[in-house]
């Protein structure tokens, strides 16, 4: 009985949020009227596959992380979503392919992996020539990820290293560089 009650509550919440109860149930049937296991399972399955992810799809940085940073950037008032995405794209493309500080930061370049509706995924690579890359990563470059997602009129940024416990400030230097370019375009940032 508890499963039926719990599932009925879940189905009620789902229908209140605009999700559809399985088609074989009539509109006259409420979640509490679902008595067969098939109805309960169908409603549970419909809810499980239809619950939207949170508005901010970017994961939080792990507590105490030394290789992950999050920021929120907002374009100037009156900037359309398309113009904001275009400005963001221009700033990302303007990042030096040879990296910063004579290649000490992102010396292996970067690749924009995805660019869709103001959401971006960018991979930055170290040169692979440093002591840690040679000693601990087989001479291969370390890869960091920058994820940018629109969130209302703002954009959420998360820059993080894939490996290790520390990034020696690389993610911070990257976001400072990108942030300076955004500020020149009238953007404001939080979490800097």
């Amino acid at each position: 009985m508890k499963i039926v009650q719990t599932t009925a509550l879940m189905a009620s919440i789902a229908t209140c949020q605009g999700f559809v109860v399985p088609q074989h149930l009539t509109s006259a049937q409420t979640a509490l009227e679902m008595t067969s296991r098939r109805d309960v399972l169908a409603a549970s399955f419909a809810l499980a596959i239809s619950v939207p992810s949170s508005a901010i799809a970017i994961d939080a940085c792990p507590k105490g992380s030394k290789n992950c940073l999050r920021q929120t950037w907002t374009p100037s008032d009156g900037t359309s979503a398309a113009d904001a995405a275009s400005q963001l794209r221009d700033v990302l493309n303007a990042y030096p392919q040879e990296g910063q500080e004579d290649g000490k930061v992102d010396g292996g370049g970067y690749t924009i992996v995805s660019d869709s509706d103001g959401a971006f995924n960018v991979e930055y690579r170290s040169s692979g020539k440093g002591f840690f890359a040679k000693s601990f990563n087989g001479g291969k470059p370390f890869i960091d990820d920058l994820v940018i997602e629109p969130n209302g009129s703002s954009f959420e940024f998360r820059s993080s290293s894939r490996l290790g416990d520390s990034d020696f400030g690389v993610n911070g230097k990257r976001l400072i560089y990108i942030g300076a370019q955004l500020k020149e375009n009238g953007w404001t940032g939080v979490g800097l």
Side-chain angles (χ1 to χ4, degrees), residues 78-98:
T79 305
S80 71
D83 287 344
S86 178
Q87 289 175 10
L88 202 44
R89 186 177 302 108
D90 291 345
V91 165
L92 293 173
N93 283 318
Y95 193 85
Q97 207 39 264
E98 65 279 1

Side-chain angles (χ1 to χ4, degrees), residues 6-174:
T6 302
T7 304
L9 176 62
M10 290 170 45
S12 295
I13 292 169
T15 54
C16 288
Q17 293 180 349
F19 300 115
V20 178
V21 175
Q23 291 177 352
H24 72 277
L25 298 176
T26 67
S27 59
Q29 286 179 301
T30 66
L32 293 175
E33 293 173 318
M34 287 184 271
T35 54
S36 76
R37 279 185 250 162
R38 180 183 311 160
D39 291 345
V40 170
L41 288 173
S44 298
F45 181 72
L47 177 63
I49 63 170
S50 64
V51 173
S53 61
S54 65
I56 303 172
I58 298 178
D59 294 332
C61 291
K63 187 174 181 177
S65 175
K66 296 179 184 172
N67 67 355
C68 179
L69 294 171
R70 285 207 41 186
Q71 296 179 345
T72 302
W73 285 91
T74 305
S76 59
D77 287 341
T79 305
S80 71
D83 287 344
S86 178
Q87 289 175 10
L88 202 44
R89 186 177 302 108
D90 291 345
V91 165
L92 293 173
N93 283 318
Y95 193 85
Q97 207 39 264
E98 65 279 1
Q100 303 177 60
E101 299 178 9
D102 294 323
K104 291 180 183 174
V105 176
D106 302 326
Y110 66 92
T111 303
I112 297 177
V113 177
S114 67
D115 171 354
S116 176
D117 298 324
F120 299 87
N121 288 312
V122 186
E123 290 182 354
Y124 293 87
R125 294 173 298 283
S126 72
S127 66
K129 298 176 185 176
F131 170 78
F132 287 100
K134 289 179 182 176
S135 301
F136 300 107
N137 205 30
K140 297 181 287 188
F142 288 105
I143 299 175
D144 294 347
D145 296 296
L146 174 62
V147 178
I148 303 170
E149 292 281 340
N151 182 17
S153 62
S154 299
F155 290 82
E156 301 292 329
F157 286 57
R158 181 180 194 265
S159 186
S160 62
S161 302
R162 289 186 184 176
L163 298 174
D165 295 325
S166 177
D167 66 355
F168 301 102
V170 170
N171 285 294
K173 291 174 183 177
R174 178 181 310 119

